[in-house]
Amino acid sequence: LLQFGTLCNFNDREQVLKCTSYLHKIGSIIYYDKVNALKDLVILDPQWLVNVMSSIFDTSGSWIRKGIMDYSALDQIWKAYPQEVRPKLIALLEKLEIVYVLNTNEQK
């Protein structure tokens, strides 16, 4: 988040929060400050997020069966994305109610 503020030439955290909130409201960026797992994630290109989401439903793979996808399939689906970003992507998909946890063995 502070790196985003630096890009915008803001030094004050409050200014950065106001800016990100406004840009999120008008659809220029994606930012969820009320979700702990996502507080430090700012997506500057919303189309990028659309591409991430659509990769799950891509017909070239058979990831989803009867509406259920095994958590381990995400390693194959998101192999183009850095490993450290994947938990945040999952948290974002949960926030947007695209995926749900079914049980404790990490199936989604």
Side-chain angles (χ1 to χ4, degrees):
L1 181 60
L2 294 178
Q3 289 175 338
F4 178 70
T6 302
L7 287 173
C8 298
N9 293 320
F10 291 133
N11 297 323
D12 180 4
R13 183 173 172 77
E14 193 62 35
Q15 286 180 319
V16 174
L17 290 173
K18 285 180 183 178
C19 177
T20 52
S21 177
Y22 174 74
L23 290 172
H24 175 80
K25 285 179 185 176
I26 64 171
S28 293
I29 65 168
I30 309 278
Y31 176 66
Y32 293 101
D33 63 333
K34 296 194 178 14
V35 179
N36 284 335
L38 301 174
K39 282 185 176 184
D40 61 345
L41 178 69
V42 178
I43 298 174
L44 301 177
D45 181 7
Q47 182 62 47
W48 179 85
L49 182 59
V50 171
N51 296 343
V52 169
M53 288 185 201
S54 67
S55 67
I56 295 173
F57 304 102
D58 186 342
T59 57
S60 66
S62 55
W63 320 117
I64 302 171
R65 297 192 187 273
K66 296 184 180 182
I68 298 173
M69 180 182 69
D70 189 77
Y71 181 84
S72 63
L74 291 174
D75 286 333
Q76 182 64 29
I77 296 168
W78 289 341
K79 63 185 172 191
Y81 303 106
Q83 188 76 25
E84 62 272 8
V85 173
R86 295 176 193 176
K88 293 192 180 301
L89 294 176
I90 293 167
L92 187 56
L93 292 174
E94 288 175 355
K95 163 69 178 149
L96 297 173
E97 298 183 348
I98 294 171
V99 297
Y100 297 91
V101 176
L102 293 179
N103 58 36
T104 58
N105 70 0
E106 295 186 342
Q107 280 187 336
K108 294 190 186 224

